[in-house]
Amino acid sequence: MWSVITYIIASALTVPFVITWVIYKWNRVNKKTRLYAFHKAVTWTNILYILSVMMLCKVIFDHFFIGYILVFHILLLSIIIIHQRINHTEVIFGRAWKIVWRFSFLLFSFLYFALILYGIIHRLLFL
């Protein structure tokens, strides 16, 4: 039983874009709008992209970047909260976190594909 769960988690971390697509399609089938389905897919699979990038960095660079990722999220959240305070005089933490989470999806999905490409080229050239 544990081996099946392990394989499912390993597959989700190996190809998170497939899970993103499945969640998107699931929400579209349930008569939701495309935008709603996309936002739900982004929300639920962002953690997979973050974990995938962490694992790819461990494999390629032999170093974990957990601390850097946490500091990045905290700094980005701080910047957005300061921006809200200056421009709107009201801080809405949920809105700030949502912006951080969506930006994080964009960044880590790009990093995922860039690290996959880098890893393939690195292994081919330096085998």
Side-chain angles (χ1 to χ4, degrees):
M1 179 64 188
W2 286 108
S3 61
V4 173
I5 294 171
T6 305
Y7 287 134
I8 291 171
I9 292 171
S11 299
L13 289 178
T14 306
V15 285
F17 56 89
V18 173
I19 304 299
T20 303
W21 181 78
V22 167
I23 291 175
Y24 173 79
K25 284 297 185 184
W26 173 261
N27 283 313
R28 283 292 291 150
V29 166
N30 289 332
K31 307 291 188 223
K32 306 292 185 198
T33 64
R34 282 187 226 158
L35 188 62
Y36 176 84
F38 180 72
H39 284 261
K40 287 301 176 187
V42 165
T43 301
W44 288 104
T45 59
N46 187 21
I47 192 69
L48 292 177
Y49 284 99
I50 294 171
L51 293 174
S52 296
V53 167
M54 284 179 13
M55 292 301 117
L56 284 171
C57 287
K58 175 62 179 162
V59 169
I60 294 171
F61 305 117
D62 198 32
H63 183 69
F64 276 116
F65 292 97
I66 296 171
Y68 295 113
I69 291 170
L70 289 175
V71 167
F72 164 75
H73 281 95
I74 291 169
L75 283 176
L76 187 60
L77 184 63
S78 302
I79 290 168
I80 292 171
I81 286 175
I82 291 169
H83 179 268
Q84 280 185 355
R85 175 70 176 110
I86 290 171
N87 291 338
H88 305 292
T89 66
E90 181 181 10
V91 175
I92 302 172
F93 183 75
R95 183 178 294 163
W97 181 249
K98 190 181 289 189
I99 293 168
V100 169
W101 200 243
R102 289 179 183 170
F103 180 76
S104 176
F105 176 81
L106 289 174
L107 177 68
F108 283 98
S109 61
F110 172 75
L111 283 175
Y112 172 77
F113 289 112
L115 284 171
I116 289 287
L117 186 63
Y118 175 80
I120 290 170
I121 291 171
H122 186 264
R123 295 287 181 191
L124 289 176
L125 293 178
F126 300 109
L127 189 69

